[in-house]
Amino acid sequence: MAEDSATEKGGIRFNLEEIAGAVGDFGTIFPILLGVAIVCPDVNVSHFFLFLAAWFIIAGLYYRLPIPIEPMKAIGAIVIAEGLSGGEIVASGIAVGVLFLLLGLAGGMTWIGDRIPRSVIRGVQAGLALLLLRTSLGYIVDDALFAAFSIAIIVIFFIASERTRVPDVSALLVLLIGLAAGIAVQGMPPFRLIPLPALVIPTPADFIAGTWDLVLPQIPLTLANAILATSLLTYDLFPKKGVDPDRLSRTIGAMNLVSTPLGGFPMCHGAGGLAAMYRFGARTGGANIVAGLFILVFAVVFAPPEVLTLIPFGVFGALLVFVAIELGKHGIKTESYLVTGVIAVLALALGLTIAFIAGMALAYALEWWKKEQGAGQKPGA
């Protein structure tokens, strides 16, 4: 696919296409971060959005391409499903930051990515989808009317965006409608400035739990989707400016090491986000800068803790359903339904970490068995 002149020259532009592309990935960003803030009272959602906005802008200036910044989906889904502590979230961010910074500096991304079977990655995605669906059902049952209204809006925008170039801003729209409804019932919350971020030092127990519960399930998704698939897509869309996997790994490491100890949520890139931003018109880092400014306004105006009590739970239930469907769509694109299915079921029953380890063992066992079967069928064997 040919690059346009602005991209070829390495420029940053601001026009209607870039603005439309800027919001292309908001549909998964907002539900995950707001969902985490609801179940974890010891985190500050304003800081989540503040650091997300900052890194959107930094990535736009650094890459000069629409490279998205997203919350880490495995960590977000598990926190929402199990209600883990803020200390464990920070510990997981530090751990993944160190890991991916070192991998990027050492140039080992492709080698490691090749050792994780694709069916295992698909299984983690499918397991995340089931966990999010289970969580979303609780919100929907508690507020069925608003959930149905929100789902209807999301479906309308999804159909429109598939058939036209109208950007899917349904997540933003239903959040704003939910806020308006909450304000109408409860009144306007007091305005307050974002408190300055404070350093959070996790305990050894936080690191142990965060690594086991959050980091291990996140690693295959980050390797495959946030780094390898995103890098490949940049070469497809921008052949003269494709981004090397190790470079993406280094930025993921840096932004987590800087942000999570100060209250940010673990973040990465994403091939799906890049595809969404490009589809709606983003071609340069200008889209990232616009997205960062939008999110910054949200952090300042809409994200104080009181705002979370205004938004009907049906809104979160509806948004999480569609995040789960998006993950599930990718999960079924597997080369082994057995491996993927086992991981998905175990994730729901025993947790993603155990499911990931069992899936890796099963995938390698099946590969060994196929090789043995092939060797046994050779003439003279």
Side-chain angles (χ1 to χ4, degrees):
M1 185 175 295
E3 303 179 40
D4 63 22
S5 58
T7 306
E8 288 176 353
K9 296 175 182 177
I12 289 179
R13 70 184 184 189
F14 301 96
N15 56 22
L16 289 177
E17 287 79 12
E18 296 291 327
I19 293 171
V23 300
D25 196 28
F26 281 11
T28 55
I29 290 174
F30 282 82
I32 291 176
L33 293 183
L34 291 172
V36 168
I38 287 175
V39 301
C40 295
D42 57 342
V43 302
N44 189 310
V45 69
S46 298
H47 293 158
F48 283 179
F49 286 108
L50 178 64
F51 286 108
L52 182 72
W55 283 103
F56 250 111
I57 294 170
I58 291 169
L61 294 171
Y62 177 59
Y63 287 112
R64 309 186 81 79
L65 294 173
I67 302 296
I69 308 297
E70 302 177 344
M72 289 189 166
K73 293 183 179 66
I75 291 177
I78 296 167
V79 170
I80 292 170
E82 300 182 13
L84 303 182
S85 71
E88 290 169 309
I89 295 173
V90 173
S92 69
I94 294 173
V96 295
V98 171
L99 174 65
F100 287 106
L101 181 61
L102 292 177
L103 285 175
L105 292 172
M109 283 307 313
T110 303
W111 186 89
I112 292 178
D114 289 343
R115 269 67 187 172
I116 300 179
R118 188 59 55 90
S119 58
V120 172
I121 297 166
R122 299 306 189 195
V124 171
Q125 290 173 322
L128 286 172
L130 292 179
L131 288 172
L132 284 176
L133 279 176
R134 183 175 66 186
T135 303
S136 68
L137 287 176
Y139 292 134
I140 290 172
V141 169
D142 290 340
D143 190 7
L145 183 61
F146 222 104
F149 174 71
S150 301
I151 289 172
I153 291 176
I154 294 170
V155 169
I156 290 170
F157 267 92
F158 175 78
I159 294 172
S161 66
E162 286 293 310
R163 297 183 178 181
T164 69
R165 287 178 59 85
V166 173
D168 186 352
V169 294
S170 56
L172 278 176
L173 183 59
V174 296
L175 282 171
L176 291 176
I177 293 173
L179 278 171
I183 291 171
V185 174
Q186 303 179 39
M188 180 70 71
F191 176 80
R192 60 181 63 182
L193 295 175
I194 298 177
L196 291 175
L199 183 65
V200 179
I201 302 176
T203 65
D206 287 333
F207 276 106
I208 293 171
T211 300
W212 176 258
D213 292 329
L214 301 175
V215 176
L216 288 180
Q218 182 62 52
I219 287 173
L221 276 182
T222 301
L223 282 168
N225 182 62
I227 297 175
L228 298 178
T230 302
S231 173
L232 181 61
L233 188 56
T234 63
Y235 284 101
D236 290 338
L237 300 177
F238 310 102
K240 297 180 181 179
K241 292 191 66 182
V243 181
D244 179 82
D246 289 305
R247 193 177 173 196
L248 293 171
S249 185
R250 291 193 293 269
T251 56
I252 289 173
M255 64 187 177
N256 283 294
L257 285 176
V258 170
S259 301
T260 51
L262 295 172
F265 192 80
M267 295 175 283
C268 60
H269 305 300
L274 172 57
M277 293 176 73
Y278 186 93
R279 179 173 178 271
F280 294 121
R283 296 294 184 273
T284 76
N288 272 53
I289 295 171
V290 173
L293 293 175
F294 280 158
I295 295 169
L296 183 60
V297 170
F298 190 88
V300 173
V301 178
F302 295 109
E306 293 88 355
V307 173
L308 293 175
T309 65
L310 296 178
I311 303 174
F313 275 9
V315 169
F316 296 113
L319 291 174
L320 289 175
V321 165
F322 283 88
V323 175
I325 290 172
E326 182 65 25
L327 283 169
K329 278 195 317 186
H330 296 290
I332 61 175
K333 300 173 185 175
T334 180
E335 60 205 24
S336 172
Y337 285 104
L338 175 60
V339 173
T340 298
V342 166
I343 293 174
V345 172
L346 287 179
L348 201 59
L350 302 174
L352 265 171
T353 302
I354 292 175
F356 170 62
I357 294 171
M360 286 287 288
L362 177 59
Y364 274 99
L366 288 174
E367 185 178 343
W368 173 84
W369 181 77
K370 288 178 182 177
K371 288 181 179 177
E372 289 295 307
Q373 291 292 105
Q377 293 174 1
K378 289 181 180 179

